[in-house]
Amino acid sequence: MIGAGGWQAMRPPPAFPGMRIGLFGGSFDPFHEGHRLVAMEALKRLRLDTVWILVTPGNPLKDRSGLPPLAQRMADAHRVIDHPRIRVTGFEAARGFTYSYETVAWLRRRYPGVDFVWIMGGDSLRSFHRWQRWRDMARLVPIAVHARPGSVRIAPRSRAAQWLDDVRIPEDEAATLAGSTPPAWTYLTGVVSGQSSTAIRARRLALGGSSD
C-alpha cells in the first residue's frame, strides 16, 4: 500500500533552478492543523514557491515501535493539507534515508540552483543539537523555526540557537532567508497552534481507539 499520490509520492516533487522550496519533515503521527499552520505561514512569510511535507520513516530519537505505517501518515497529511502549493512526499523512506542531514545533502546535490529552506517547530530547535550532523546540516540549508506553545521563549535560548546566534536573520526580514547563504536562520512568531500529535494520540486512546 502506497497511499495517496501513488508511487509518485515516493519520489521528490518537481524542482527547478530558481525555485524556493520549504522542507518540513517529521513522523507526523498524526499530521494535524498545527502542522498545516506552520507550512502555510512558512509558504507566505518566507515567500516560497512550494513546501514539501517530508513524512519520514520515523524519528531516530524516539521509540518507533507503535508508529503507524508510512502510507497511513501520508494519507492523513494529504487530507489535512489540501493545498496546491504544498506537496506530501515519502521519498526519504524510498531512498533509505534515516537522518535529515542525508536528505538535505542529497537534495542539494540533485537540485543545484534550487533554494531550499528547512522548516521546524520551536520544540524541534530545542533538541536540534542531538540530531545527526546538525552543524553540517545547518551549513547546508537555511533554517526557519516556527514558534510552538511551550517553546516560544525557550527555543531561542537552546544550545543550537546559541551556536547559530550570529547568523540569525530578523523576523521582519524572513523573506530573504531562502536566498541566504547558510548557516542562516530566522524565528517566526505570531500565530501558533495549541494542537500536538501527542495530545491527539492520548485522546484517541482515552476514547478507546488505537493510537494507530
Side-chain angles (χ1 to χ4, degrees):
M1 176 182 176
I2 299 301
W7 285 105
Q8 194 66 31
M10 301 305 290
R11 301 174 181 174
F16 307 98
M19 289 185 70
R20 298 158 62 95
I21 299 176
L23 306 171
F24 186 19
S27 53
F28 300 121
D29 177 25
F31 195 94
H32 54 69
E33 287 295 336
H35 295 130
R36 187 179 193 277
L37 171 65
V38 171
M40 292 295 294
E41 285 291 293
L43 189 67
K44 176 177 66 176
R45 298 179 65 182
L46 304 179
R47 297 183 186 173
L48 303 175
D49 296 303
T50 183
V51 171
W52 294 357
I53 305 297
L54 310 180
V55 185
T56 70
N59 187 334
L61 298 177
K62 296 181 180 180
D63 179 13
R64 291 180 276 179
S65 59
L67 192 65
L70 178 70
Q72 179 179 329
R73 290 180 284 122
M74 289 178 63
D76 288 342
H78 272 288
R79 184 175 60 255
V80 175
I81 282 293
D82 191 26
H83 190 283
R85 290 169 59 195
I86 301 179
R87 306 290 296 272
V88 177
T89 175
F91 82 86
E92 289 177 297
R95 297 203 64 85
F97 295 154
T98 300
Y99 302 107
S100 298
Y101 170 79
E102 297 175 290
T103 300
V104 171
W106 183 79
L107 288 173
R108 287 292 304 271
R109 292 192 302 269
R110 183 177 176 88
Y111 299 107
V114 173
D115 290 328
F116 289 106
V117 175
W118 188 266
I119 301 165
M120 68 168 70
D123 46 351
S124 293
L125 180 63
R126 292 173 61 182
S127 62
F128 187 44
H129 65 278
R130 299 175 59 202
W131 293 25
Q132 181 83 357
R133 300 187 66 174
W134 66 277
R135 290 186 179 89
D136 290 334
M137 179 175 166
R139 294 185 181 106
L140 283 177
V141 64
I143 298 170
V145 181
H146 194 282
R148 291 280 295 151
S151 300
V152 175
R153 292 184 176 85
I154 298 175
R157 299 197 298 268
S158 66
R159 177 176 169 182
Q162 291 179 35
W163 185 77
L164 291 164
D165 185 60
D166 291 342
V167 294
R168 181 173 175 177
I169 292 176
E171 186 174 2
D172 60 3
E173 298 176 17
T176 68
L177 183 67
S180 299
T181 300
W185 76 291
T186 195
Y187 193 53
L188 303 177
T189 60
V191 182
V192 298
S193 169
Q195 283 199 322
S196 76
S197 297
T198 301
I200 291 173
R201 292 195 301 271
R203 284 197 298 270
R204 287 178 177 175
L205 289 173
L207 292 171
S210 167
S211 61
D212 293 348

